Amino acid sequence: MFYKNIIRPLLFRLSRKDPETAHHLVITLLALMGKHRTSCQLVSTLWGTKPEKKLERTAMGLKFPHPVLLAAGFDKNALAIRMLAEIFGGVEIGTVTNEPQIGNPRPRMFRLSEDEALINRMGFNNDGATQVAERLAEILKGGQLKVPLGISFGKNKDTPANNIDAVIDNHLEGFRKLARFANYAVLNCASPNTPDLRTLLERGPLGSLIEEVQKTKRSLGLASLPLVVKLSPDMDWDQIEAALEVCNQFGVAGIIAANTSLGRESLKSSTRSEIGGLSGAPIYHRALELVRHVRKELPNICVIGSGGINSPERATRMLDFGADLIQIYTGFVYEGPSFVRSITQAI
Ligand SMILES: Cc1cc2nc3c(=O)[nH]c(=O)nc-3n(C[C@H](O)[C@H](O)[C@H](O)COP(=O)(O)O)c2cc1C
């Protein structure tokens, strides 16, 4: 209530012209607080979930204290992971590219408040693998995170998507710098904001990319690092079928269903025609459908449901539909930090 009645209106008003301002403010605050043990304890008391056996999940060989994870894109540069690990059952950073990128010009994040949604065209803005690796080394000097850390990998914009050898080299360069910090690694070829990125979800390129990343894992002594592939909600059933086949063939441990959508059906907000990926409430049913499908097709894989979870009911439904774990981003923005605990209480 305090968040929805006081903090959210303040944050939203402050960043009416550019919602990204509020985002940076929150990340900066969380990063600062994460440096102090007492503020971590405070956040844990206010918004954390008390460890309970019934909430624990083992997936991809990893132990999650509860199944509500932070989705990629919120803390792209791993600035606030200590604090976020007090709230979430797992934290995914990135998407990180090998070279740093400034992303698209601002504004590039838009609120669709009437629809409880966001549109973003960030374009993989991030500090790059070298700097994120240095940051992780520094932060983790103070001890491992209390929850699994996922790292999402993507390609740089200037690496042509139609040159698969270049795409693989670009991924592997970043992967070699960062993989040792990850508890699981994600290949994100599903963002709509990098030109032609999603062509990498087709059978041929996806298979080659996964195969080379798996080989590199072994050469780095990280054979057991679980590899996860993120799907796009805009793929048709044939594309999904092909992607799942290669994921299965090359030993992928998990599937995230799914990223943001280019769809714009029945939206009310005036910002609905902005270019970019739609997240939040309107994409829930598609994400749910994908979760159910992946669970049916690949019964032994870890399914991570992502898209439009904005209530404990939606969260538990996604788990009932076969998700082992769920991730949230937009729901966190609209519902606030206590949202995670309201979900874990409903499980
Ligand atoms: C502003 C913003 C930036 C995002 N950046 C990334 C990203 O870098 N990598 C990624 O895999 N997903 C990214 N996502 C997608 C989220 O991880 C998530 O899959 C999607 O938003 C659906 O979940 P939600 O409806 O709970 O937000 C981003 C989403 C938003 C809103």
Side-chain angles (χ1 to χ4, degrees), residues 118-140:
L118 296 171
I119 289 177
N120 90 82
R121 50 169 180 268
M122 310 300 285
F124 286 171
N125 57 308
N126 77 101
D127 291 342
T130 305
Q131 202 182 330
V132 174
E134 282 168 11
R135 184 169 298 133
L136 284 173
E138 185 61 32
I139 293 175
L140 299 176

PDB file of all heavy atoms in Angstrom, residues 118-140:
ATOM      1  N   LEU A 118       4.521  -1.948 -20.024  1.00  0.00           N
ATOM      2  CA  LEU A 118       5.607  -1.069 -20.459  1.00  0.00           C
ATOM      3  C   LEU A 118       5.921  -1.388 -21.915  1.00  0.00           C
ATOM      4  O   LEU A 118       5.690  -2.518 -22.366  1.00  0.00           O
ATOM      5  CB  LEU A 118       6.891  -1.334 -19.648  1.00  0.00           C
ATOM      6  CG  LEU A 118       6.916  -1.061 -18.146  1.00  0.00           C
ATOM      7  CD1 LEU A 118       8.205  -1.607 -17.537  1.00  0.00           C
ATOM      8  CD2 LEU A 118       6.831   0.444 -17.872  1.00  0.00           C
ATOM      9  N   ILE A 119       6.421  -0.396 -22.617  1.00  0.00           N
ATOM     10  CA  ILE A 119       7.062  -0.677 -23.908  1.00  0.00           C
ATOM     11  C   ILE A 119       8.491  -0.184 -23.770  1.00  0.00           C
ATOM     12  O   ILE A 119       8.727   0.919 -23.248  1.00  0.00           O
ATOM     13  CB  ILE A 119       6.345   0.045 -25.062  1.00  0.00           C
ATOM     14  CG1 ILE A 119       4.979  -0.609 -25.330  1.00  0.00           C
ATOM     15  CG2 ILE A 119       7.197   0.005 -26.337  1.00  0.00           C
ATOM     16  CD1 ILE A 119       4.139   0.077 -26.403  1.00  0.00           C
ATOM     17  N   ASN A 120       9.443  -1.024 -24.176  1.00  0.00           N
ATOM     18  CA  ASN A 120      10.824  -0.549 -24.152  1.00  0.00           C
ATOM     19  C   ASN A 120      11.528  -0.863 -25.450  1.00  0.00           C
ATOM     20  O   ASN A 120      11.244  -1.856 -26.106  1.00  0.00           O
ATOM     21  CB  ASN A 120      11.584  -1.139 -22.956  1.00  0.00           C
ATOM     22  CG  ASN A 120      12.266  -2.452 -23.300  1.00  0.00           C
ATOM     23  OD1 ASN A 120      13.360  -2.464 -23.875  1.00  0.00           O
ATOM     24  ND2 ASN A 120      11.613  -3.567 -22.986  1.00  0.00           N
ATOM     25  N   ARG A 121      12.424   0.053 -25.821  1.00  0.00           N
ATOM     26  CA  ARG A 121      13.328  -0.190 -26.944  1.00  0.00           C
ATOM     27  C   ARG A 121      14.740   0.211 -26.516  1.00  0.00           C
ATOM     28  O   ARG A 121      15.407   1.006 -27.158  1.00  0.00           O
ATOM     29  CB  ARG A 121      12.879   0.577 -28.199  1.00  0.00           C
ATOM     30  CG  ARG A 121      12.581   2.052 -28.011  1.00  0.00           C
ATOM     31  CD  ARG A 121      12.412   2.769 -29.352  1.00  0.00           C
ATOM     32  NE  ARG A 121      12.136   4.162 -29.215  1.00  0.00           N
ATOM     33  CZ  ARG A 121      10.924   4.717 -29.164  1.00  0.00           C
ATOM     34  NH1 ARG A 121       9.843   3.953 -29.213  1.00  0.00           N
ATOM     35  NH2 ARG A 121      10.786   6.023 -29.046  1.00  0.00           N
ATOM     36  N   MET A 122      15.135  -0.370 -25.368  1.00  0.00           N
ATOM     37  CA  MET A 122      16.426  -0.001 -24.789  1.00  0.00           C
ATOM     38  C   MET A 122      17.562  -0.300 -25.771  1.00  0.00           C
ATOM     39  O   MET A 122      18.477   0.500 -25.936  1.00  0.00           O
ATOM     40  CB  MET A 122      16.681  -0.773 -23.485  1.00  0.00           C
ATOM     41  CG  MET A 122      15.541  -0.736 -22.475  1.00  0.00           C
ATOM     42  SD  MET A 122      15.125   0.911 -21.928  1.00  0.00           S
ATOM     43  CE  MET A 122      16.480   1.262 -20.837  1.00  0.00           C
ATOM     44  N   GLY A 123      17.529  -1.467 -26.409  1.00  0.00           N
ATOM     45  CA  GLY A 123      18.580  -1.811 -27.379  1.00  0.00           C
ATOM     46  C   GLY A 123      19.863  -2.306 -26.730  1.00  0.00           C
ATOM     47  O   GLY A 123      20.958  -1.956 -27.168  1.00  0.00           O
ATOM     48  N   PHE A 124      19.715  -3.135 -25.693  1.00  0.00           N
ATOM     49  CA  PHE A 124      20.880  -3.742 -25.019  1.00  0.00           C
ATOM     50  C   PHE A 124      21.899  -2.690 -24.579  1.00  0.00           C
ATOM     51  O   PHE A 124      23.103  -2.817 -24.818  1.00  0.00           O
ATOM     52  CB  PHE A 124      21.581  -4.773 -25.919  1.00  0.00           C
ATOM     53  CG  PHE A 124      20.865  -6.086 -26.087  1.00  0.00           C
ATOM     54  CD1 PHE A 124      21.323  -7.010 -27.020  1.00  0.00           C
ATOM     55  CD2 PHE A 124      19.762  -6.417 -25.328  1.00  0.00           C
ATOM     56  CE1 PHE A 124      20.680  -8.240 -27.189  1.00  0.00           C
ATOM     57  CE2 PHE A 124      19.105  -7.638 -25.486  1.00  0.00           C
ATOM     58  CZ  PHE A 124      19.564  -8.555 -26.428  1.00  0.00           C
ATOM     59  N   ASN A 125      21.416  -1.618 -23.931  1.00  0.00           N
ATOM     60  CA  ASN A 125      22.364  -0.690 -23.308  1.00  0.00           C
ATOM     61  C   ASN A 125      23.011  -1.404 -22.124  1.00  0.00           C
ATOM     62  O   ASN A 125      22.306  -1.962 -21.281  1.00  0.00           O
ATOM     63  CB  ASN A 125      21.617   0.563 -22.823  1.00  0.00           C
ATOM     64  CG  ASN A 125      20.491   0.228 -21.863  1.00  0.00           C
ATOM     65  OD1 ASN A 125      19.653  -0.610 -22.174  1.00  0.00           O
ATOM     66  ND2 ASN A 125      20.458   0.853 -20.713  1.00  0.00           N
ATOM     67  N   ASN A 126      24.309  -1.464 -22.106  1.00  0.00           N
ATOM     68  CA  ASN A 126      24.979  -2.138 -20.975  1.00  0.00           C
ATOM     69  C   ASN A 126      26.460  -1.796 -20.981  1.00  0.00           C
ATOM     70  O   ASN A 126      27.008  -1.332 -21.973  1.00  0.00           O
ATOM     71  CB  ASN A 126      24.749  -3.654 -21.036  1.00  0.00           C
ATOM     72  CG  ASN A 126      25.607  -4.338 -22.073  1.00  0.00           C
ATOM     73  OD1 ASN A 126      26.623  -4.944 -21.747  1.00  0.00           O
ATOM     74  ND2 ASN A 126      25.231  -4.236 -23.346  1.00  0.00           N
ATOM     75  N   ASP A 127      27.109  -2.054 -19.835  1.00  0.00           N
ATOM     76  CA  ASP A 127      28.512  -1.666 -19.643  1.00  0.00           C
ATOM     77  C   ASP A 127      29.500  -2.576 -20.370  1.00  0.00           C
ATOM     78  O   ASP A 127      30.703  -2.303 -20.364  1.00  0.00           O
ATOM     79  CB  ASP A 127      28.849  -1.675 -18.145  1.00  0.00           C
ATOM     80  CG  ASP A 127      28.143  -0.549 -17.404  1.00  0.00           C
ATOM     81  OD1 ASP A 127      27.693   0.407 -18.063  1.00  0.00           O
ATOM     82  OD2 ASP A 127      28.031  -0.639 -16.162  1.00  0.00           O
ATOM     83  N   GLY A 128      29.033  -3.683 -20.909  1.00  0.00           N
ATOM     84  CA  GLY A 128      29.928  -4.611 -21.605  1.00  0.00           C
ATOM     85  C   GLY A 128      30.521  -5.643 -20.657  1.00  0.00           C
ATOM     86  O   GLY A 128      30.621  -5.421 -19.440  1.00  0.00           O
ATOM     87  N   ALA A 129      30.933  -6.774 -21.233  1.00  0.00           N
ATOM     88  CA  ALA A 129      31.335  -7.932 -20.425  1.00  0.00           C
ATOM     89  C   ALA A 129      32.544  -7.650 -19.531  1.00  0.00           C
ATOM     90  O   ALA A 129      32.586  -8.108 -18.386  1.00  0.00           O
ATOM     91  CB  ALA A 129      31.623  -9.115 -21.343  1.00  0.00           C
ATOM     92  N   THR A 130      33.513  -6.867 -20.024  1.00  0.00           N
ATOM     93  CA  THR A 130      34.727  -6.647 -19.217  1.00  0.00           C
ATOM     94  C   THR A 130      34.385  -5.910 -17.920  1.00  0.00           C
ATOM     95  O   THR A 130      34.773  -6.335 -16.830  1.00  0.00           O
ATOM     96  CB  THR A 130      35.764  -5.828 -20.028  1.00  0.00           C
ATOM     97  OG1 THR A 130      35.992  -6.525 -21.251  1.00  0.00           O
ATOM     98  CG2 THR A 130      37.047  -5.647 -19.274  1.00  0.00           C
ATOM     99  N   GLN A 131      33.606  -4.822 -18.062  1.00  0.00           N
ATOM    100  CA  GLN A 131      33.293  -4.032 -16.869  1.00  0.00           C
ATOM    101  C   GLN A 131      32.342  -4.771 -15.925  1.00  0.00           C
ATOM    102  O   GLN A 131      32.498  -4.702 -14.698  1.00  0.00           O
ATOM    103  CB  GLN A 131      32.691  -2.686 -17.271  1.00  0.00           C
ATOM    104  CG  GLN A 131      32.847  -1.662 -16.157  1.00  0.00           C
ATOM    105  CD  GLN A 131      32.223  -0.330 -16.484  1.00  0.00           C
ATOM    106  OE1 GLN A 131      32.151   0.071 -17.649  1.00  0.00           O
ATOM    107  NE2 GLN A 131      31.751   0.357 -15.463  1.00  0.00           N
ATOM    108  N   VAL A 132      31.388  -5.497 -16.492  1.00  0.00           N
ATOM    109  CA  VAL A 132      30.460  -6.231 -15.622  1.00  0.00           C
ATOM    110  C   VAL A 132      31.221  -7.339 -14.880  1.00  0.00           C
ATOM    111  O   VAL A 132      30.981  -7.597 -13.695  1.00  0.00           O
ATOM    112  CB  VAL A 132      29.259  -6.788 -16.423  1.00  0.00           C
ATOM    113  CG1 VAL A 132      28.378  -7.673 -15.561  1.00  0.00           C
ATOM    114  CG2 VAL A 132      28.424  -5.642 -16.988  1.00  0.00           C
ATOM    115  N   ALA A 133      32.199  -7.960 -15.559  1.00  0.00           N
ATOM    116  CA  ALA A 133      33.001  -9.001 -14.898  1.00  0.00           C
ATOM    117  C   ALA A 133      33.799  -8.399 -13.741  1.00  0.00           C
ATOM    118  O   ALA A 133      33.860  -8.981 -12.642  1.00  0.00           O
ATOM    119  CB  ALA A 133      33.930  -9.663 -15.901  1.00  0.00           C
ATOM    120  N   GLU A 134      34.383  -7.223 -13.972  1.00  0.00           N
ATOM    121  CA  GLU A 134      35.151  -6.565 -12.891  1.00  0.00           C
ATOM    122  C   GLU A 134      34.239  -6.249 -11.705  1.00  0.00           C
ATOM    123  O   GLU A 134      34.586  -6.445 -10.546  1.00  0.00           O
ATOM    124  CB  GLU A 134      35.786  -5.268 -13.401  1.00  0.00           C
ATOM    125  CG  GLU A 134      37.033  -5.522 -14.229  1.00  0.00           C
ATOM    126  CD  GLU A 134      37.489  -4.279 -14.979  1.00  0.00           C
ATOM    127  OE1 GLU A 134      36.975  -3.168 -14.717  1.00  0.00           O
ATOM    128  OE2 GLU A 134      38.358  -4.445 -15.871  1.00  0.00           O
ATOM    129  N   ARG A 135      33.030  -5.772 -12.037  1.00  0.00           N
ATOM    130  CA  ARG A 135      32.077  -5.425 -10.974  1.00  0.00           C
ATOM    131  C   ARG A 135      31.667  -6.666 -10.187  1.00  0.00           C
ATOM    132  O   ARG A 135      31.622  -6.653  -8.957  1.00  0.00           O
ATOM    133  CB  ARG A 135      30.854  -4.741 -11.592  1.00  0.00           C
ATOM    134  CG  ARG A 135      29.852  -4.243 -10.577  1.00  0.00           C
ATOM    135  CD  ARG A 135      28.825  -3.350 -11.233  1.00  0.00           C
ATOM    136  NE  ARG A 135      29.420  -2.166 -11.823  1.00  0.00           N
ATOM    137  CZ  ARG A 135      29.149  -1.722 -13.059  1.00  0.00           C
ATOM    138  NH1 ARG A 135      28.274  -2.345 -13.805  1.00  0.00           N
ATOM    139  NH2 ARG A 135      29.741  -0.643 -13.518  1.00  0.00           N
ATOM    140  N   LEU A 136      31.387  -7.739 -10.901  1.00  0.00           N
ATOM    141  CA  LEU A 136      30.971  -8.966 -10.212  1.00  0.00           C
ATOM    142  C   LEU A 136      32.101  -9.487  -9.319  1.00  0.00           C
ATOM    143  O   LEU A 136      31.866  -9.926  -8.187  1.00  0.00           O
ATOM    144  CB  LEU A 136      30.554 -10.036 -11.229  1.00  0.00           C
ATOM    145  CG  LEU A 136      29.185  -9.834 -11.878  1.00  0.00           C
ATOM    146  CD1 LEU A 136      28.944 -10.841 -12.986  1.00  0.00           C
ATOM    147  CD2 LEU A 136      28.066  -9.927 -10.837  1.00  0.00           C
ATOM    148  N   ALA A 137      33.342  -9.417  -9.828  1.00  0.00           N
ATOM    149  CA  ALA A 137      34.490  -9.883  -9.034  1.00  0.00           C
ATOM    150  C   ALA A 137      34.547  -9.099  -7.727  1.00  0.00           C
ATOM    151  O   ALA A 137      34.748  -9.670  -6.645  1.00  0.00           O
ATOM    152  CB  ALA A 137      35.774  -9.724  -9.831  1.00  0.00           C
ATOM    153  N   GLU A 138      34.335  -7.798  -7.831  1.00  0.00           N
ATOM    154  CA  GLU A 138      34.391  -6.924  -6.652  1.00  0.00           C
ATOM    155  C   GLU A 138      33.244  -7.255  -5.675  1.00  0.00           C
ATOM    156  O   GLU A 138      33.471  -7.454  -4.483  1.00  0.00           O
ATOM    157  CB  GLU A 138      34.285  -5.466  -7.156  1.00  0.00           C
ATOM    158  CG  GLU A 138      34.443  -4.404  -6.114  1.00  0.00           C
ATOM    159  CD  GLU A 138      35.802  -4.452  -5.425  1.00  0.00           C
ATOM    160  OE1 GLU A 138      36.782  -4.827  -6.085  1.00  0.00           O
ATOM    161  OE2 GLU A 138      35.852  -4.146  -4.218  1.00  0.00           O
ATOM    162  N   ILE A 139      32.035  -7.326  -6.211  1.00  0.00           N
ATOM    163  CA  ILE A 139      30.870  -7.551  -5.338  1.00  0.00           C
ATOM    164  C   ILE A 139      30.955  -8.928  -4.685  1.00  0.00           C
ATOM    165  O   ILE A 139      30.698  -9.089  -3.493  1.00  0.00           O
ATOM    166  CB  ILE A 139      29.543  -7.431  -6.135  1.00  0.00           C
ATOM    167  CG1 ILE A 139      29.336  -5.997  -6.603  1.00  0.00           C
ATOM    168  CG2 ILE A 139      28.346  -7.879  -5.293  1.00  0.00           C
ATOM    169  CD1 ILE A 139      28.123  -5.774  -7.490  1.00  0.00           C
ATOM    170  N   LEU A 140      31.372  -9.933  -5.456  1.00  0.00           N
ATOM    171  CA  LEU A 140      31.340 -11.299  -4.933  1.00  0.00           C
ATOM    172  C   LEU A 140      32.543 -11.599  -4.034  1.00  0.00           C
ATOM    173  O   LEU A 140      32.599 -12.666  -3.410  1.00  0.00           O
ATOM    174  CB  LEU A 140      31.207 -12.310  -6.079  1.00  0.00           C
ATOM    175  CG  LEU A 140      29.910 -12.154  -6.915  1.00  0.00           C
ATOM    176  CD1 LEU A 140      29.877 -13.118  -8.078  1.00  0.00           C
ATOM    177  CD2 LEU A 140      28.662 -12.333  -6.047  1.00  0.00           C
TER     178      LEU A 140
END
